[in-house]
Amino acid sequence: MAEIKVLSQAVADKIAAGEVAERPAAVVKELVENSIDAGADRITVEIQNGGIKYIRIEDNGKGILANELEFAFVRHATSKLQSIEDLFSITTMGFRGEALASICAVADVEVMTKTKDADEGVYMTLKHGIPSEKETVACNFGTTMIIQNLFANVPARMKFLKKDSTEAGYIADVLGRIALAKPEIAFRYICDGTEVFSTSGDGQLKNTILNIYGMDVAKGLMEVQHFEHGVNVCGVVGKAELARGNRTRQTLLVNGRYIKNHVVAKVVEEAYRNILMTGKFPFFVINIELAPEMVDVNVHPAKTEIKFANEKEVYDIVYHAVKNTLYTVPKEQTIEKTEKTEKSEEVLKNNNYNKFETSRATERSLIADFMKNTIPDPKKVTPLAFREPTKEEAAFVEKMVLTQKMGQEELEVKLQEKSVSEVDETLQLIEKKAETKIIGQVFNTYVIVEQANKVFLIDQHAAHERKRFEELKKDYMENKVLGQMLLVPIVLDVDNSERQLVLENAEKLSNMGFGIEEFGSNSIIIHETPVLAGENEIKELLLEILSALRDGRPSGILSFEERALDMISCKYAIKANKKLSIPEMDGILKIVEDLEKAGITTCPHGRPIKIEFDKRDIEKMFKRIV
Ligand code: ADP
Ligand code: MG
């Protein structure tokens, strides 16, 4: 084992100083990285109150020698870097010798550690950075650190912390990404007494993803493997359906270390162009392996931002790696992979690989059993009446046919009961109706209508969406129940931050018509929804709404509520690229007329519903008139 040495001032200065302990998640990150550097293959992180009150990190690494223990807490004391040359070929996670010194200055620390060769362990506490006497203790080899009352003596720092649940979410996020970077290490994260996730540590990235994100994600992965010019790009990217409205599910690793690099994220997204809609971000866990000299990890004190020596080349290679996967993976191969993933889950269940007794896999198998015994598997059930889009469509068409049948005769009967001004109005209507002719549909998206001296192009989706939006908004304002019970509840895998969002916004979501309950630590169950659509659409809708909740701020002209209602309307409405029958087209026309009567001419985002051409304009275009 290398000795711990105090770095020379020159080296110390060379190293960008930065605050290590900015929030509980940063503390957890530093401590976990120390455990990894110590060669641990089992790391448990337990926190209480968002880590502010309590953080415990336990590892089975090489431990710290009893006579060096207090040195570990001295600034710039490190066993990982002896000279300035080492700075350029770093393979360990930490190297500044700053973390423990910073942490013990802002919290109460307890440490218990034992090296493999030592007969007994050693225990020490630090208050305000001042170490107590060391005591010998009986313990397993490895190191346990307990950090309590973080920032209790730094009120200014304390003020910047968010809610406990938010801080806990940050910790889950950081830890999840470290776990993805180290599939060979078994991680376990316990928050306020409940296990949030545990990874098996069997070395398989896909199993780690399964442990952290659940089955839905594990099933939708495609492998990336590409080597070029000394750069190896490997990992997985998600199919289109795993894309989300934000980048929280993107993990980028460089030489096995979790880092942030917006350009690489953009490059990956670029490879998805034409596959994903704008505003959707792909799922990925990508590791770029290259010679350590080609990377400068010392750009940012928290070491999550890096620079590549030959940036452009790296970006190019990443782009091609992802693009190759997206465009050449044959379907069968993906299916085979899915089966493999399921098999791995079986293996996990049978525990051989598992380094913890309770694991995510066991929990998932419990969920699977629950599903089998209590509710039918949604995938195997024949679609229920309300799930069949055709029924809704049938009703829609029926209504439209009726509208059409109300011909001139009926209108004239009505005429006799109306006042003079109404008579005028109705006469005009009759006139219009007689003159209105539906020409048809183009691009399966726009309805063409001729009326008097005009031609309209109507965006079928925009029109229908706006109508539904207005209805929903009215119901919402009047506190009407928007939700409808699902006969077959939908189980949705969520990550920790999504789960938090659901819990924190339970009331808002319920007002929107969502009935949701927690279901295990990584799933929720949806039993009521505001729109009777297919399972995938409902999942997508909820995720979009959660994403809007995460953003918090209104988008453009819409408030959060309007945005959510719009998302619901959008799922309900007739889609673009859908062939319509004449009665359906007539229905769309009727919708536009009703909306116009209410002075509405755009979809909820402000895009036009109808474009008008005057006969004169057309004649001018053909130079029939000047
Ligand atoms: P750095 O990781 O940059 O070296 P730290 O302040 O994080 O600095 O840690 C100081 C030293 O304490 C490390 O170099 C290492 O020798 C020792 N150390 C810290 N945590 C552990 C651990 N979990 N297991 C073994 N050694 C540790
Ligand atoms: Mg460290």
Side-chain angles (χ1 to χ4, degrees):
M1 186 192 302
E3 284 170 74
I4 299 182
K5 278 194 188 141
V6 178
L7 292 178
S8 76
Q9 193 56 42
V11 180
D13 287 347
K14 198 94 179 177
I15 297 167
E19 281 208 71
V20 179
E22 52 147 8
R23 60 172 2 110
V27 171
V28 168
K29 177 173 180 290
E30 290 295 336
L31 296 179
V32 169
E33 287 185 345
N34 280 347
S35 298
I36 295 171
D37 286 345
D41 71 355
R42 202 172 63 218
I43 300 171
T44 299
V45 175
E46 183 180 356
I47 66 145
Q48 282 167 24
N49 295 82
I52 300 158
K53 194 168 141 205
Y54 181 92
I55 297 172
R56 177 175 69 91
I57 315 267
E58 186 181 334
D59 70 45
N60 63 349
K62 64 184 176 187
I64 305 172
L65 288 172
N67 61 0
E68 291 186 344
L69 186 55
E70 57 271 49
F71 265 132
F73 293 88
V74 176
R75 198 165 291 274
H76 300 312
T78 177
S79 56
K80 299 165 194 172
L81 182 66
Q82 310 287 323
S83 74
I84 190 64
E85 283 71 41
D86 291 351
L87 244 184
F88 298 98
S89 55
I90 288 150
T91 50
T92 51
M93 314 284 290
F95 53 83
R96 289 186 186 80
E98 265 186 330
L100 293 185
S102 307
I103 293 166
C104 75
V106 294
D108 300 331
V109 177
E110 272 176 79
V111 53
M112 186 163 77
T113 183
K114 180 173 141 14
T115 59
K116 266 213 171 102
D117 304 333
D119 295 329
E120 46 200 0
V122 53
Y123 171 87
M124 189 176 91
T125 61
L126 293 105
K127 267 206 181 288
H128 304 301
I130 299 159
S132 69
E133 289 293 311
K134 286 184 276 194
E135 291 167 33
T136 54
V137 283
C139 62
N140 287 332
F141 69 87
T143 304
T144 300
M145 299 247 178
I146 297 175
I147 314 297
Q148 279 171 291
N149 307 321
L150 189 61
F151 304 135
N153 61 351
V154 199
R157 173 68 60 206
M158 193 72 152
K159 251 198 345 237
F160 283 103
L161 296 182
K162 305 221 170 108
K163 274 187 302 205
D164 288 2
S165 59
T166 311
E167 294 294 341
Y170 289 147
I171 294 175
D173 194 50
V174 163
L175 204 58
R177 286 177 208 251
I178 296 177
L180 290 169
K182 303 282 169 197
E184 66 283 5
I185 299 177
F187 287 92
R188 184 176 189 190
Y189 174 46
I190 303 158
C191 176
D192 295 323
T194 311
E195 181 181 290
V196 177
F197 66 75
S198 75
T199 66
S200 64
D202 67 356
Q204 302 297 312
L205 175 62
K206 277 217 216 100
N207 287 335
T208 313
I209 294 176
L210 172 74
N211 296 150
I212 294 173
Y213 294 111
M215 202 54 178
D216 276 1
V217 170
K219 275 187 170 171
L221 303 177
M222 293 173 286
E223 211 159 308
V224 178
Q225 178 58 64
H226 185 79
F227 182 81
E228 202 183 320
H229 289 122
V231 181
N232 191 33
V233 179
C234 58
V236 292
V237 293
K239 292 186 193 161
E241 59 265 28
L242 297 188
R244 297 271 163 113
N246 55 64
R247 293 195 172 91
T248 50
R249 288 179 163 201
Q250 302 188 337
T251 302
L252 182 65
L253 312 168
V254 172
N255 290 342
R257 182 185 312 201
Y258 160 55
I259 60 125
K260 277 186 192 136
N261 184 309
H262 284 307
V263 189
V264 175
K266 282 253 160 61
V267 166
V268 175
E269 286 158 17
E270 185 61 28
Y272 272 85
R273 190 192 268 263
N274 299 329
I275 295 179
L276 293 180
M277 275 168 26
T278 40
K280 289 272 181 190
F281 302 99
F283 177 98
F284 67 77
V285 180
I286 288 179
N287 188 11
I288 305 174
E289 290 168 332
L290 70 182
E293 301 82 50
M294 308 310 284
V295 191
D296 179 7
V297 283
N298 207 24
V299 172
H300 189 271
K303 292 169 291 171
T304 48
E305 253 147 61
I306 60 146
K307 257 191 134 114
F308 297 105
N310 49 347
E311 277 177 329
K312 218 190 138 334
E313 192 173 58
V314 174
Y315 300 149
D316 262 12
I317 297 171
V318 170
Y319 177 79
H320 285 115
V322 176
K323 194 115 186 175
N324 284 348
T325 298
L326 295 177
Y327 286 88
T328 58
V329 173
K331 268 219 153 65
E332 309 80 68
Q333 203 181 318
T334 325
I335 290 162
E336 188 215 328
K337 255 184 231 156
T338 308
E339 279 166 7
K340 264 198 214 150
T341 319
E342 270 166 77
K343 269 193 209 124
S344 330
E345 197 188 21
E346 275 306 308
V347 174
L348 283 180
K349 248 192 282 176
N350 298 337
N351 240 326
N352 283 348
Y353 281 113
N354 218 321
K355 292 174 182 157
F356 293 114
E357 288 150 60
T358 20
S359 80
R360 185 76 195 114
T362 333
E363 190 185 313
R364 294 204 74 75
S365 83
L366 287 176
I367 294 177
D369 282 349
F370 176 84
M371 294 283 292
K372 241 185 267 150
N373 298 334
T374 52
I375 42 179
D377 179 352
K379 283 175 203 94
K380 290 187 187 131
V381 170
T382 20
L384 291 153
F386 62 72
R387 291 266 183 115
E388 273 173 22
T390 46
K391 192 173 173 187
E392 217 180 276
E393 279 171 13
F396 183 74
V397 172
E398 197 183 329
K399 209 169 133 203
M400 295 316 138
V401 173
L402 277 176
T403 327
Q404 242 208 354
K405 272 195 196 145
M406 195 171 100
Q408 195 140 344
E409 235 175 87
E410 270 169 89
L411 280 169
E412 268 167 337
V413 172
K414 284 212 167 123
L415 203 74
Q416 288 159 13
E417 304 156 1
K418 301 271 159 91
S419 67
V420 181
S421 72
E422 273 175 315
V423 168
D424 271 355
E425 215 175 87
T426 318
L427 274 173
Q428 274 172 16
L429 232 163
I430 293 170
E431 217 166 87
K432 251 193 180 168
K433 205 157 172 69
E435 288 175 1
T436 306
K437 197 157 78 186
I438 290 177
I439 308 294
Q441 191 192 22
V442 277
F443 311 127
N444 287 337
T445 301
Y446 308 100
V447 178
I448 303 187
V449 181
E450 181 191 335
Q451 192 172 68
N453 275 331
K454 288 193 166 79
V455 175
F456 307 140
L457 279 176
I458 300 172
D459 181 328
Q460 64 196 39
H461 175 73
H464 199 205
E465 180 184 17
R466 183 65 196 245
K467 171 179 180 259
R468 184 63 190 142
F469 176 73
E470 290 305 315
E471 289 168 352
L472 270 178
K473 210 161 90 169
K474 188 162 169 287
D475 287 352
Y476 181 77
M477 299 296 197
E478 291 168 2
N479 291 321
K480 288 211 179 121
V481 179
L482 301 186
Q484 314 187 45
M485 283 294 264
L486 288 171
L487 287 187
V488 180
I490 297 171
V491 177
L492 175 64
D493 289 333
V494 288
D495 58 32
N496 192 54
S497 72
E498 285 161 347
R499 204 175 67 104
Q500 283 303 338
L501 279 170
V502 169
L503 296 181
E504 282 164 18
N505 296 286
E507 200 186 326
K508 263 191 188 158
L509 289 169
S510 134
N511 291 345
M512 292 281 159
F514 281 102
I516 304 175
E517 270 166 44
E518 277 187 276
F519 192 47
S521 63
N522 254 15
S523 315
I524 53 168
I525 203 160
I526 310 170
H527 50 75
E528 207 177 310
T529 76
V531 55
L532 297 173
E535 179 179 334
N536 282 340
E537 269 190 312
I538 290 174
K539 285 182 177 178
E540 208 178 282
L541 172 65
L542 182 62
L543 291 171
E544 277 170 19
I545 291 178
L546 290 183
S547 189
L549 275 169
R550 189 194 318 260
D551 288 356
R553 65 198 139 76
S555 132
I557 50 171
L558 302 179
S559 68
F560 162 73
E561 279 79 8
E562 285 175 323
R563 232 170 125 190
L565 294 175
D566 174 37
M567 288 167 184
I568 299 167
S569 326
C570 184
K571 289 281 178 290
Y572 169 90
I574 287 183
K575 304 273 176 295
N577 282 316
K578 184 175 185 305
K579 204 168 158 53
L580 300 185
S581 64
I582 293 288
E584 284 173 316
M585 288 184 226
D586 198 49
I588 294 291
L589 177 60
K590 174 82 173 44
I591 286 174
V592 175
E593 285 169 353
D594 288 347
L595 286 172
E596 281 178 344
K597 261 186 234 155
I600 299 169
T601 57
T602 66
C603 82
H605 320 273
R607 275 187 276 108
I609 290 173
K610 183 175 111 175
I611 305 262
E612 232 177 78
F613 297 94
D614 211 272
K615 189 176 171 201
R616 286 185 61 85
D617 297 336
I618 296 175
E619 284 179 333
K620 271 190 196 159
M621 283 190 250
F622 285 103
K623 311 234 180 286
R624 283 175 173 271
I625 57 171
V626 280

